[in-house]
Structure formats: C-alpha cells, structure tokens
Amino acid sequence: MEGSGAPAEDILLRRPWLPVSISGCQLLAKSWFGETAYHILLTDMHCVWEERMDTADIQSRSQELNRRLRAPVKAFFTHLCEVVKPCLAGVGSQTENEVQISLTRQEDGSINMRLKSELAGLPFYWEFHCTPAPVALVCIQLVRPLLTMSRLLQKQVEQLGGLLVRKDAEIQDYRENGATLSRERLQTDVFEEQTHREDFIAKALPLLCSEQQEALGFDGDLQELYTAIVTHGSARKRKLSEQRSAEEVEHANKEPELVLNASVSSCHIHRCRATSLQTKEEESGPVQMIPSSRTHTQLRI
C-alpha cells in the first residue's frame, strides 16, 4: 500500500502513465492504492476510464464476488494489491501462473477487468468496473501534462537547432584557418533548420503512425518527463496555496485592529459631540421656563 501525507489525487497525478496489454488491448494505465482504497485510470487514447473505491465499496464487492470469504477488507486487500499492481505496471504478475486477468468492453462504454487468483488455498475473484472519466479529470491527468511536455520538447529542439548553427559557424572558422578533417566520413552538411524539419516530418511521421497501431509509445524517457512536469506543477500550486493562506491569516490578524481603531474613533467622535453641546449650553446661559397659562391669571390690558 502507498501511504503518504499527500492527498490521493496528488499522488495519482505524479504517477506516470505506463503501457500495459490486457486481453490483447494496448492501454496506458496509472493507479494509486491506499490502505483500503484505490483509484485507477486506463486509456486507449480514444477514451479514458476510471474507478474509485473506498473501504465500504471494496467490502461490498468482495462479498458479491466471494461468497465464502468472511474477512475484513485489510485481510484480503494486501493480496489484491500484490496481484493487480504488477498487471497495471506492465511487468506481469510475479505469480503469473496463478493469476488470470481479462478485459471486456461494455455496451454503455465502460470496461470491466476481471481478475482471478488464489488466496489461502481458495479462489479469489475481483472485478474493476471502469466508467468513462469526466473531462476535467482527463485534462488534469493527461491533456495538460502532454501539452506541457510538447512545449518543453519544442523548446529543447529550438535550443539544439541554435547549438547546431553555432557549431557550423565554429567549424567554418576552423576551415578558414586551414583546419582539415582527418576522415572524410565525418564530413557533415551545414544545418538548415527549415529543411531539416520538413525532411524529418516526411520520414518520421509515417513510421510513427504505423507504430501506434502496436504500442502507445509512452516509454521510460517520456514517463520521466511526465513525472517531472506534474511534480513541478504540484509544487508550484502548493506554494501558491501556502502564500494565499499566509495572506489570509495576515488579513485576519489585521481585522481586530481595524475594528478597535474604528471603535476608538467612534468614541472620540461621541465625546467631541457631547463636549460641543455642553459648551453651547454654557454660552447661552440658563434656560428660562415660560409659565403655564393654567397656573397664572390672565393679563388684563
């Protein structure tokens, strides 16, 4: 099991896509297995499927598929991980003779992977019911990293092209100063970037398209590049999140000061108003009471 303090989604994102072959179907797979939970992704580059299962879901499916099994999830989940993880890593199970795995496509667009192994002398069955993944998940786990990989490789090609141009200038300088090659087979043509690009595409593209019929081509170098890109992206996202949290804490600490200052200002204003009214009363002298007509006789003219 893969215990870590990081969220499962972040751990799964940092997993590279691995080429696997199940029932003759070429797929790319990535997976995360926790203590009693898992999340797997599969794609044939036409669709992406996923399945997430927690402890309760795993317990329920186990009872459906293995009527004679009476055990908590932790008791058999370790065995499930041991037999399925090698299959999803494209290396085959270490107990391949005892493990059978097959894949079938469903009419609703989902796929099922059925696994049969042996646990404590009894047959153990498991099924992965993978449904089409939401677009947002596909973008996060596949599209965005691939686009970043493409841009990064393009920058690398541009830098290499610039290096070749400088090397040609260096070689030309040697020639102009009398240097010669000791072996003619080392002679190279001057690098022309546009010509080289057109020639490369014309020759390599048909070959690449024919190879895709047999393999998806996510080799070790691309897996390493993918992991580096998503790890950098996750670290940057985490740093920005920490900065926002620090700013929110700082803002929250400033709010009591603002409230206190506002209260002090309000009290000061009230005192000023009271003082002003008292001053006006003193300047105008004592207030004279007008006698009521009910307590005095009327004046005669």
Side-chain angles (χ1 to χ4, degrees), residues 99-134:
V99 177
Q100 301 175 15
I101 186 168
S102 62
L103 182 146
T104 57
R105 297 177 182 267
Q106 308 299 311
E107 295 181 356
D108 60 358
S110 61
I111 59 175
N112 286 358
M113 283 195 306
R114 293 182 173 87
L115 182 144
K116 179 182 178 182
S117 61
E118 187 175 299
L119 175 62
L122 296 174
F124 177 78
Y125 301 94
W126 192 258
E127 292 185 3
F128 295 91
H129 300 166
C130 301
T131 58

Side-chain angles (χ1 to χ4, degrees), residues 173-189:
D173 183 71
Y174 290 151
R175 288 175 177 172
E176 291 175 354
N177 286 278
T180 57
L181 287 173
S182 60
R183 286 167 288 185
E184 290 295 328
R185 63 184 180 82
L186 298 178
Q187 181 77 30
T188 58
D189 297 329

Side-chain angles (χ1 to χ4, degrees), residues 275-291:
T275 303
S276 177
L277 290 174
Q278 183 179 0
T279 303
K280 289 182 179 180
E281 290 176 357
E282 292 175 353
E283 292 176 352
S284 61
V287 179
Q288 297 180 353
M289 301 298 294
I290 300 176

Side-chain angles (χ1 to χ4, degrees), residues 6-20:
E9 292 299 326
D10 290 343
I11 299 175
L12 182 64
L13 180 60
R14 293 196 294 268
R15 294 279 187 269
W17 289 92
L18 302 174
V20 299

Side-chain angles (χ1 to χ4, degrees), residues 32-43:
W32 167 83
F33 288 86
E35 292 186 358
T36 54
Y38 67 78
H39 187 184
I40 65 172
L41 294 173
L42 298 170
T43 179

